[in-house]
């Protein structure tokens, strides 16, 4: 049985950087916390917890120690609170997310109403929005943008995982809203590149395995796009979930992983799939 691993399976640049920073902070010892899970991988979060990194929901009860900021960022107010409390801040916010936050801050300071294209419930978007000091709207689609009020000056940024198509639809609607318009394309292509590769691979194999946290939106989406082309697609978090029955009559297995899946989890899965290879003659 041939096992084909997608070229860009696993950690994206921002998650790799955040994870490294978190493990380095953990190794230093002392009271160390992260505000929310550092990345959407329960296995990585557990490892960090074993090294003494406690996940906090808020900074309310924290008086001292080191606080690690997750890859998709936190709100302006939370950062301010950490500075006010003189906590040691390890800011692992992905530079692409940081850029979107800075764009919102400068647009807002220059008197623009800000439109953020994205999912209002996502913590990354809540963080980006918090950097606006004037009017700010979150829209998920062109239809939602069509319902925005008239604006004299409008500045647009996108959640990093948005599709270019959706950003274009929102921009078109905003063009109808009024005078001046500024657009910052803050989309990161790590997600779309992974999806494209996974789709191609799913077409070429008899069974597809997608590895990543069940709480990871990009992994869930990866599994969905694979399932469109390969009905024998399985989303798993760890190698223990693999069922040997999945490989009956299978010659080629495709493996991919979400942007927050560490390499050691991918390696374990490949190892396990090899164990279940029913075409082996030994
Ligand atoms: Fe950053 Fe893009 Fe990853 S925004 S966290 S490199 S998906």
């Amino acid at each position: 049985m041939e096992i084909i691993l997608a070229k860009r399976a696993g950690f994206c640049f921002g998650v790799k950087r955040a994870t490294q920073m978190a493990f380095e902070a953990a190794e230093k010892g002392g009271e160390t916390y992260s505000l929310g899970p550092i990345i959407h991988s329960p296995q990585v979060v557990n490892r960090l917890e074993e090294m003494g990194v406690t996940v906090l929901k808020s900074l309310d009860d924290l008086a001292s120690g080191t606080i690690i900021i997750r890859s998709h960022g936190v709100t302006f107010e939370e950062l301010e609170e950490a500075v006010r409390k003189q906590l040691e801040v390890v800011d692992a916010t992905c530079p692409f997310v940081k850029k979107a936050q800075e764009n919102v801050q400068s647009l807002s300071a220059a008197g623009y109403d800000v439109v953020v294209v994205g999912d209002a419930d996502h913590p990354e978007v809540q963080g980006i929005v918090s950097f606006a000091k004037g009017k700010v709207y979150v829209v998920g689609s062109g239809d939602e943008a069509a319902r925005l009020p008239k604006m004299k000056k409008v500045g647009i940024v996108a959640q990093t995982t948005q599709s270019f198509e959706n950003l274009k639809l929102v921009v078109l609607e905003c063009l109808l809203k009024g005078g001046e318009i500024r657009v910052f394309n803050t989309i990161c292509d790590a997600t779309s590149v992974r999806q494209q590769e996974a789709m191609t691979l799913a077409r070429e194999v008899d069974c597809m395995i997608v590895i990543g946290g069940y709480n990871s939106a990009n992994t869930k989406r990866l599994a969905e796009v694979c399932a469109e082309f390969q009905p024998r697609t399985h989303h798993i978090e760890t190698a223990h979930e693999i069922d040997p029955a999945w490989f009956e009559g299978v010659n080629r297995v495709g493996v991919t992983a979400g942007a927050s899946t560490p390499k050691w989890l991918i390696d374990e899965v490949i190892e396990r799939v090899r164990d279940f290879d029913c075409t082996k003659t030994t």
Side-chain angles (χ1 to χ4, degrees):
M1 192 164 67
E2 192 184 354
I3 303 165
I4 308 168
L5 176 64
K7 231 194 296 169
R8 254 154 300 190
F11 278 2
C12 61
F13 153 76
V15 166
K16 191 172 177 188
R17 177 178 172 274
T19 309
Q20 260 167 7
M21 288 171 84
F23 278 100
E24 276 166 22
E27 273 160 17
K28 279 192 191 157
E31 285 177 75
T32 310
Y33 306 89
S34 78
L35 193 47
I38 186 85
I39 62 170
H40 281 142
S41 165
Q43 291 71 30
V44 171
V45 173
N46 286 347
R47 277 209 177 172
L48 284 165
E49 261 174 350
E50 282 161 19
M51 291 173 75
V53 179
T54 310
V55 180
L56 298 178
K57 283 206 174 99
S58 80
L59 295 178
D60 289 353
D61 300 321
L62 194 61
S64 62
T66 299
I67 185 80
I68 309 167
I69 307 297
R70 63 195 174 201
S71 56
H72 53 245
V74 293
T75 65
F76 181 80
E77 291 72 24
E78 285 167 323
L79 273 178
E80 267 199 335
E81 191 180 350
V83 173
R84 200 174 52 244
K85 289 184 165 176
Q86 297 184 319
L87 304 173
E88 189 173 330
V89 178
V90 175
D91 191 353
T93 308
C94 173
F96 297 131
V97 176
K98 199 94 189 148
K99 194 81 202 120
Q101 294 173 344
E102 286 165 3
N103 290 148
V104 166
Q105 199 166 27
S106 61
L107 282 167
S108 199
Y112 287 82
D113 289 350
V114 176
V115 173
V116 179
V117 187
D119 170 4
D121 294 328
H122 195 285
E124 178 193 323
V125 174
Q126 289 164 349
I128 291 172
V129 162
S130 71
F131 282 76
K133 294 299 162 246
K135 278 195 186 140
V136 56
Y137 306 93
V138 179
V139 294
S141 64
D143 288 347
E144 280 178 39
R147 294 196 286 273
L148 288 172
K150 291 265 181 218
M151 291 173 273
K152 275 205 185 102
K153 285 168 80 173
V154 55
I156 303 172
V157 302
Q159 182 179 0
T160 54
T161 48
Q162 280 292 299
S163 73
F164 187 66
E165 223 21 67
N166 204 33
L167 173 62
K168 251 171 36 184
L169 291 174
V170 172
V171 171
L172 277 178
E173 288 300 333
C174 288
L175 277 171
L176 303 171
K177 293 288 161 195
E180 191 185 329
I181 181 164
R182 288 195 72 187
V183 183
F184 288 95
N185 180 358
T186 48
I187 294 171
C188 157
D189 69 358
T191 313
S192 58
V193 167
R194 268 169 185 67
Q195 285 175 8
Q196 284 300 331
E197 271 184 8
M199 267 192 269
T200 309
L201 185 56
R203 281 197 193 100
E204 294 168 356
V205 295
D206 313 305
C207 170
M208 194 71 201
I209 295 181
V210 182
I211 317 158
Y214 294 123
N215 60 345
S216 155
N218 82 79
T219 309
K220 279 196 267 185
R221 185 72 196 120
L222 210 49
E224 280 164 15
V225 297
C226 288
E228 281 171 31
F229 299 97
Q230 177 48 257
R232 292 172 82 168
T233 292
H234 307 281
H235 175 181
I236 57 170
E237 272 192 0
T238 69
H240 303 289
E241 294 159 69
I242 296 173
D243 180 344
W246 296 346
F247 310 115
E248 273 164 34
V250 165
N251 289 315
R252 304 179 93 199
V253 182
V255 177
T256 190
S260 44
T261 308
K263 187 173 178 302
W264 51 271
L265 278 180
I266 301 172
D267 290 344
E268 277 175 16
V269 167
I270 291 177
E271 198 66 13
R272 187 97 166 168
V273 175
R274 272 204 194 104
D275 290 346
F276 290 135
D277 184 355
C278 32
T279 62
K280 264 195 312 203
T281 47
T282 49

